[in-house]
Amino acid sequence: MAEMVIKKKRPKNLDLMSIKLPLPGVLSIIHRIAGAVLFLLMPVLLWLFQSSLTSPETFAIFKSVVAHPLVRLVLLGLIWLFLHHFCAGIRYLLLDLHKGIDLASARLSSWIVFAVSLAMTLIIGVKVLW
Amino acid sequence: MVNRIVVGAHYGLKDWIIQRATAIILALYTVLFLAVVGAVGPDSFEAWRGIFASGFMKFATFLFFISLFWHTWIGIRDIWMDYAKPDGLRLLLIIATAAVLVGYTGWSIQILWRV
């Protein structure tokens, strides 16, 4: 049988002001927001990629665009979102394999995701963008 | 524990697997890309273009784009299914997402094979 009725009444609290989202929850919503933001900016990123590869002239345009401090700041933000999605994604793949599913290790791995993605963002920011 | 048969009907098992398979490809390409850029250290247009002129990187980058757009399709569709409640709006957003992703696929092929 594929259908099943869950009758159990569970306590429900959806008051966003009183909910304190635990760290794995924060990780999860940033993972989703990162995916959405990267999707929305895809045409801009594809345009940048195209400009960088088409001709020396468009490459010069690409370089001048990414030289702008505000663009660099946005790119750094996007790199962080990508790396967060990357690290959190690896964590999810491990959870799928039932690795680290108890509360303590799930919290620890969330801390690791934040630490590693932020550290990688800093390294790339320093090495590539500045 | 809810036990149910997850094959046969549309329970999304195929999408679930593709989401993870494409994720692995995207992650591997990210490591490859960082390694190649780190090794080549492209400091000019010619050097940067040279990376994507090689047959292997063209293939790998093409695989990356296909995986990226497929992965994005499943993820963004999940977002619309969670938040866009009116059926008409949801359908519109899902179709629009599919349409732009198909367009991006063509665009990325064009970018890569003009190198």
Side-chain angles (χ1 to χ4, degrees), chain B residues 47-70:
Chain B
W48 172 245
R49 192 185 160 98
I51 291 177
F52 299 97
S54 90
F56 174 73
M57 273 308 276
K58 200 165 275 185
F59 166 76
T61 309
F62 174 63
L63 191 62
F64 167 81
F65 275 123
I66 296 295
S67 301
L68 176 68
F69 299 137
W70 206 344

Side-chain angles (χ1 to χ4, degrees), chain A residues 112-130:
Chain A
I112 293 170
V113 165
F114 279 99
V116 172
S117 57
L118 284 168
M120 285 172 79
T121 307
L122 269 178
I123 292 167
I124 292 177
V126 170
K127 283 202 86 169
V128 180
L129 293 176
W130 277 276

Side-chain angles (χ1 to χ4, degrees), chain A residues 1-2 4 6 29 32 35-36 39 42-43 46-47 49-50 52-56 59 82 85-86 93 96, chain B residues 2 4 11 16 20 24 27 30 45 48-49 52 65 68-69 72 76 79 82-83 97 100 104 107 111 115:
Chain A
M1 278 300 282
M4 191 157 185
I6 299 166
I29 194 63
R32 172 162 279 198
F39 166 67
M42 234 171 227
L46 277 168
W47 176 78
F49 185 60
Q50 175 177 257
S52 77
L53 283 174
T54 306
S55 68
F59 183 74
F82 180 86
H85 202 89
F86 174 90
L93 287 172
D96 285 342
Chain B
V2 180
R4 57 180 190 183
Y11 283 111
W16 189 91
R20 278 139 190 89
I24 291 167
T30 303
F45 171 67
W48 172 245
R49 192 185 160 98
F52 299 97
F65 275 123
L68 176 68
F69 299 137
T72 304
I76 299 299
I79 290 181
D82 279 350
Y83 306 126
T97 303
V100 294
Y104 294 162
W107 188 9
I111 294 171
V115 173

